[in-house]
Amino acid sequence: MSTMTAEGSRHAEEQRSLLSVGMRRGCCTAQECVDDFSAVEELTHEDSLRCPGTGRMLRTSRSCVVQASGAVLFVHLKRFEQCQYSGAIRKSHTPVQCSSVLQVDGVYRLTGIIHHHGIGPGHGHYTATLITAEGVMQFDDSNISRGEWTNEAPSNTACILAYVKVGGPE
């Protein structure tokens, strides 16, 4: 089996990072979603570790260290959840304030948002917002328009946030 890659594609892959995070109930910020993802979690008794020497259950915690070394960071907000009883997949409409600056192993600036409008993964429509120094552009199929955007207004449709590392390539 042979693999063909475009020149420079490996370098481009090394410059991107993806972080898939859950959301709090109620309104939250993208920064809070990232902070919650990496917070220390105390495990329940059944998930705890047993000391091999004494056989006693040990108090156990776990956490995740986020190292987003790429020039571009994509934050995926987990909007779709599977109901544990029915197995149905439903969309979370939790409002998220799309933080214009994100602190993750460096400082990142928001440059784009992909929105999902609809009730589920198989039903809906995607649009995008591009944020630049020159202004904001809204993309909806073949319609492109200048738009307004403020990070003060929480979004219940944002599902992927694109950030560029401050001091990195534009």
Side-chain angles (χ1 to χ4, degrees), residues 42-119:
E42 294 292 328
L43 300 180
T44 61
H45 180 73
E46 57 268 4
D47 291 330
S48 293
L49 299 175
R50 185 175 302 277
C51 175
T54 65
R56 291 186 3 202
M57 295 302 285
L58 302 173
R59 186 173 175 198
T60 310
S61 63
R62 67 178 172 195
S63 65
C64 179
V65 176
V66 178
Q67 293 180 324
S69 58
V72 178
L73 171 65
F74 294 99
V75 177
H76 168 237
L77 301 172
K78 294 181 182 176
R79 287 241 175 243
F80 300 105
E81 304 169 323
Q82 186 169 19
C83 178
Q84 71 183 77
Y85 301 111
S86 69
I89 296 176
R90 63 183 178 89
K91 181 179 177 183
S92 168
H93 293 278
T94 300
V96 175
Q97 184 178 344
C98 303
S99 308
S100 58
V101 174
L102 201 62
Q103 301 280 338
V104 180
D105 190 34
V107 178
Y108 287 81
R109 177 180 45 83
L110 182 66
T111 58
I113 305 169
I114 297 174
H115 302 269
H116 178 268
H117 308 271
I119 59 170

Side-chain angles (χ1 to χ4, degrees), residues 20 27 32 102 117 119 137 139 148 151:
S20 190
C27 188
E32 289 171 334
L102 201 62
H117 308 271
I119 59 170
M137 299 293 291
F139 298 86
E148 298 271 328
N151 69 332

